[in-house]
Amino acid sequence: MASPAFEVDHAFPDDDRLYETLLQAQSDLGDGLLIIDGHRIVHANAAAARICGWSVEDLLALSSVFDLIPLDEQRRLAHRLDRAASLERIRNHCETTIVRRDGRRIDLELAIQNVRTRGGSRVIVVARDITERKQMERTLRSSEARYRLLFDSTVAGLCVSTIEGRLVQCNTAFARMLGFATADEALADPQADLDLASPDGGAILRALQTSGRVTSFEVPLRRRDGTTAWVLGNATLLDRFDEGPTLVETILIDVTERRVLQAQLHESQKMDAIGRLAGGVAHDFNNLLTAIQGYSELTLSDLGSHPLRLQIEEIRKAAQRAAALTRQLLAFSRRQEVAPVVLDLNTVVRAMHQMLRRLIGEDVELVSRLTEPLRRVKADQSQIEQVLMNLVVNARDALPGGGTITIETEHVRVGRPEARLFPELCEGPYVVLRVRDTGVGMTADVQAHVFEPFFTTKSPGRGTGLGLSTVYGIVQQSGGHIRVDTEPGRGSVFSIYLPPTPDLEPVRREHPAEEAPCRGTETVLVVEDEEEVRHFACRVLERQGYRVLEAPHAGAALRLAASHGGPIHLLLTDVVMPKMGGPVLADQLSRRYPSMRVLYMSGYGEDELRDHGFAIGTALFLPKPFLPETLARRVRDILDAEIARHGRPA
Ligand code: ADP
Ligand code: MG
């Protein structure tokens, strides 16, 4: 029995039926078919009518196929049809637009072919509606264009890389982040590839592989010049439809400056907190040391050649060392009394050269490289000397096998980026004092702590850890800035930036006061809540012959003054006391004793006193701790000045 396929012969239709069946099949698939003679439609299938929104009859009734075509398309299509009509067996594909009966424009893909038949030459047009596809293409193109625009013009760095980190595509912002001028430059340089094999990169890679996306990671990237850029980023594994390597799209923003600022803020907050602590401790110590030192002095001057003398001298020496220590702490916490004068740093460096030379020993060379002429700065000379000494001593300690220490001065202009980074720096000129050594250098970890009090890497007895904290405090107090550049094995450079003074201020030198006798018989009212300090001050003044009235607080002082018959020449008072402070007391007392002079004493520095509402200004002030001679000298000087002005009091 034959299969149906072999029965085709019997069922094979005649030519016309074949023709119709073909047309029907094509129409069923949705493809329109027109047969055109000249420009007239002589045949149209149902699909063609459906596509155009006309009936078959209407199509056949059109005088020209061009009635379907919008004007702007007509010329192009006419050309194709005419070409098709004139050439044998030329198949022609094109796309065009037609206007449907309802006015809607639709896109068609056309296959145009010329067929010669018995009746002459005809053009067969097969038309397929591709409106939807064209629409999708347009949407895709515009979304691609938008993506391109975003990619190229965003401030964020964008890149596409293989999962191994090899760059495939990147934008200008990404290139700039890494120090390249253009995206092409970055793409051409393997150095710009993402190092996803680094420890941070490894974690990102694993997360990408498990979840396809990683957000808000912060990693360091190496810039072209070797420095590090910190970036915050999101990365997404891209879907791949072909065989190529797995790709990752990464978007990054540069947070280097933010990180540095954060670290800077953290650092200054830390130093501030330590400063407060150190300053507080030092302040209380000062009161105690005033008493210890003072009584040792008093006892020693009473003892003569007593056998206990040696022991008391030891107490005095220990107290002196303790006072030196508190001075360093006070310097760090910026509570040290300072006497800023206009200074030429070169002069200070030169004057100290000999002393520093001796300090550092034979195998270390000391070189000065000074800029002349150097702009002046305003600073406390003995503080600057201390800074130089501490830095040079550290440099020497960093040179166990010998080497060179260089002291430099120069003019530096601080730019806006640096000024933004360090609150104590302003944009503009600075005088820089630099101490450079060729020694062991520091690790980043040591560098992070060097300015903290009591931080030392030296063995006990060799280092106190107070050298650099003192330097730090002094520099801060002078309105300057200190930075250290160092690397293990490559030496260290400490640079101190000080603002220059306006050039007009002259250099001033301190003249030591000539010695004169300190004794007197005037009446001094001593008001101080710290008992040790008060007793000590009173004893000192009594020994110098003064008549001393003693009060533990302002209330007692007012009562004492009210009941006191004679004059009060001088009020020696603490500034900060419970209930009523020295300035208010002085104010009230001077109504009764208008010619009374006032000498304030305090363990606080100028800044803290200002916080307590007291500006030293022109007031007479004696910082604690003080030695007996200092107190006696100050009191005598003040009273003498008064006598010089108004004559000896009654
Ligand atoms: P100290 O000298 O008593 O240890 P400092 O405050 O002067 O205290 O210094 C703190 C630490 O800083 C030192 O112990 C040392 O580790 C480090 N340091 C300071 N200056 C230098 C330098 N020039 N080279 C290397 N390390 C230094
Ligand atoms: Mg030191």
Side-chain angles (χ1 to χ4, degrees):
M1 210 177 93
S3 72
F6 297 114
E7 288 171 333
V8 163
D9 256 354
H10 309 282
F12 208 79
D14 58 27
D15 278 0
D16 277 356
R17 284 211 44 216
L18 172 66
Y19 179 58
E20 259 168 45
T21 311
L22 276 174
L23 290 185
Q24 191 56 48
Q26 192 159 33
S27 188
D28 289 348
L29 279 175
D31 286 348
L33 181 121
L34 300 174
I35 298 174
I36 297 168
D37 181 1
H39 286 165
R40 267 184 69 92
I41 300 172
V42 294
H43 178 88
N45 69 358
R50 221 172 25 248
I51 288 170
C52 307
W54 300 65
S55 67
V56 171
E57 292 71 35
D58 289 341
L59 284 178
L60 296 177
L62 289 176
S63 61
S64 159
V65 69
F66 290 113
D67 292 348
L68 293 171
I69 314 291
L71 276 176
D72 48 343
E73 277 287 298
Q74 281 182 8
R75 227 142 80 90
R76 207 164 64 86
L77 200 68
H79 175 68
R80 291 209 175 240
L81 288 179
D82 292 344
R83 227 170 97 81
S86 64
L87 296 166
E88 181 87 15
R89 294 186 167 279
I90 283 292
R91 267 213 306 245
N92 219 327
H93 279 269
C94 71
E95 288 176 8
T96 189
T97 317
I98 65 163
V99 183
R100 280 168 58 95
R101 189 169 222 175
D102 58 13
R104 198 154 59 83
R105 268 180 177 242
I106 58 171
D107 295 298
L108 297 182
E109 186 179 17
L110 304 180
I112 302 170
Q113 185 162 10
N114 179 16
V115 180
R116 282 194 199 283
T117 63
R118 266 165 280 141
S121 177
R122 302 273 192 280
V123 175
I124 298 180
V125 178
V126 178
R128 186 172 288 171
D129 184 350
I130 55 165
T131 313
E132 225 167 274
R133 195 184 86 201
K134 294 295 275 187
Q135 189 53 44
M136 261 160 62
E137 276 173 14
R138 271 193 287 272
T139 313
L140 190 65
R141 259 203 306 281
S142 92
S143 111
E144 262 174 2
R146 275 205 306 275
Y147 175 74
R148 196 67 251 171
L149 186 73
L150 195 72
F151 195 89
D152 290 339
S153 63
T154 177
V155 289
L158 288 173
C159 71
V160 176
S161 64
T162 63
I163 196 143
E164 294 81 28
R166 193 171 47 75
L167 275 195
V168 174
Q169 204 186 352
C170 76
N171 68 355
T172 317
F174 176 84
R176 297 242 167 95
M177 244 175 232
L178 296 186
F180 294 94
T182 63
D184 287 341
E185 222 175 76
L187 288 170
D189 192 335
Q191 224 186 297
D193 288 349
L194 301 177
D195 187 9
L196 292 178
S198 71
D200 307 283
I204 296 172
L205 206 58
R206 278 191 296 283
L208 267 179
Q209 277 156 344
T210 47
S211 65
R213 185 171 165 75
V214 202
T215 55
S216 304
F217 57 82
E218 208 167 312
V219 290
L221 293 183
R222 238 178 128 67
R223 290 202 196 95
R224 189 186 207 176
D225 62 4
T227 55
T228 299
W230 278 90
V231 293
L232 177 69
N234 288 350
T236 315
L237 221 51
L238 291 182
D239 292 328
R240 276 267 19 178
F241 302 106
D242 51 24
E243 291 294 290
T246 313
L247 293 180
V248 181
E249 185 179 60
T250 309
I251 171 162
L252 301 165
I253 52 173
D254 192 331
V255 292
T256 314
E257 187 178 293
R258 194 184 77 186
R259 275 181 75 99
V260 176
L261 278 173
Q262 261 170 358
Q264 207 58 48
L265 179 68
H266 180 241
E267 180 67 15
S268 70
Q269 280 173 338
K270 178 185 79 180
M271 293 309 259
D272 202 48
I274 302 176
R276 273 169 209 279
L277 180 69
V281 172
H283 169 248
D284 289 347
F285 260 80
N286 266 345
N287 277 330
L288 299 173
L289 287 171
T290 303
I292 297 173
Q293 274 186 322
Y295 280 116
S296 315
E297 298 283 342
L298 290 182
T299 312
L300 282 171
S301 62
D302 283 352
L303 273 181
S305 56
H306 196 276
L308 280 178
R309 199 176 168 84
L310 279 179
Q311 295 171 35
I312 307 278
E313 264 166 7
E314 283 310 309
I315 295 176
R316 182 178 61 177
K317 270 192 239 156
Q320 273 164 357
R321 280 202 299 279
L325 209 65
T326 42
R327 260 199 306 282
Q328 280 176 292
L329 277 181
L330 281 174
F332 169 67
S333 63
R334 284 166 261 160
R335 299 180 195 206
Q336 214 181 26
E337 281 312 307
V338 290
V341 292
V342 175
L343 280 182
D344 178 355
L345 290 179
N346 288 350
T347 314
V348 180
V349 173
R350 270 194 224 99
M352 288 189 75
H353 196 275
Q354 217 26 53
M355 190 273 277
L356 294 173
R357 185 51 283 146
R358 273 196 299 274
L359 195 70
I360 59 181
E362 294 298 301
D363 49 354
V364 176
E365 196 187 356
L366 181 66
V367 178
S368 305
R369 211 171 286 144
L370 309 178
T371 297
E372 298 274 11
L374 190 69
R375 293 190 66 175
R376 309 286 191 254
V377 296
K378 197 159 191 168
D380 183 309
Q381 174 154 353
S382 58
Q383 283 196 333
I384 295 294
E385 288 167 358
Q386 191 173 6
V387 164
L388 256 175
M389 189 151 101
N390 291 5
L391 292 180
V392 169
V393 166
N394 279 347
R396 178 206 59 193
D397 292 348
L399 288 164
T404 308
I405 301 175
T406 313
I407 304 177
E408 299 169 1
T409 54
E410 71 171 334
H411 297 128
V412 166
R413 171 161 276 281
V414 167
R416 186 188 303 255
E418 253 181 305
R420 273 186 54 177
L421 216 50
F422 302 102
E424 66 271 21
L425 278 183
C426 304
E427 213 179 327
Y430 276 85
V431 176
V432 173
L433 173 65
R434 215 169 254 142
V435 175
R436 189 186 285 280
D437 68 63
T438 54
V440 295
M442 293 171 232
T443 60
D445 198 38
V446 168
Q447 199 187 336
H449 298 288
V450 283
F451 295 116
E452 288 169 22
F454 305 114
F455 174 83
T456 179
T457 56
K458 296 169 192 172
S459 51
R462 290 271 296 140
T464 58
L466 281 170
L468 285 180
S469 51
T470 305
V471 169
Y472 179 89
I474 290 175
V475 172
Q476 292 275 317
Q477 197 172 18
S478 315
H481 167 69
I482 182 163
R483 57 177 286 177
V484 51
D485 295 285
T486 179
E487 238 179 89
R490 322 197 99 195
S492 311
V493 185
F494 284 86
S495 307
I496 291 165
Y497 292 64
L498 294 171
T501 52
D503 279 323
L504 301 174
E505 290 196 55
V507 180
R508 218 175 354 123
R509 284 180 218 291
E510 300 278 277
H511 297 289
E514 283 127 42
E515 285 307 312
C518 296
R519 298 183 60 80
T521 54
E522 289 93 337
T523 304
V524 181
L525 170 55
V526 178
V527 190
E528 160 70 65
D529 56 331
E530 286 283 338
E531 196 178 322
E532 294 95 342
V533 178
R534 184 177 72 245
H535 283 172
F536 160 63
C538 293
R539 293 307 82 76
V540 170
L541 294 173
E542 277 163 0
R543 289 165 63 102
Q544 299 294 336
Y546 294 98
R547 168 143 196 231
V548 178
L549 305 173
E550 184 174 346
H553 50 79
L558 288 169
R559 278 196 298 280
L560 197 61
S563 62
H564 172 66
I568 297 180
H569 301 98
L570 178 81
L571 168 67
L572 171 65
T573 179
D574 193 12
V575 178
V576 183
M577 291 182 291
K579 295 221 179 80
M580 186 190 290
V584 179
L585 171 67
D587 197 43
Q588 300 206 357
L589 280 179
S590 52
R591 283 181 215 152
R592 196 184 162 106
Y593 300 97
S595 62
M596 177 189 78
R597 304 305 317 271
V598 184
L599 173 58
Y600 293 104
M601 53 186 167
S602 181
Y604 288 114
E606 204 166 333
D607 289 346
E608 281 77 17
L609 287 177
R610 200 173 304 113
D611 292 345
H612 280 104
F614 178 67
I616 293 180
T618 56
L620 303 169
F621 187 76
L622 179 65
K624 294 180 197 171
F626 45 81
L627 291 172
E629 311 86 89
T630 317
L631 174 61
R633 176 86 265 150
R634 271 316 280 281
V635 167
R636 191 61 261 156
D637 285 350
I638 293 165
L639 294 173
D640 283 348
E642 188 65 13
I643 292 165
R645 221 173 318 160
H646 302 291
R648 188 160 288 279

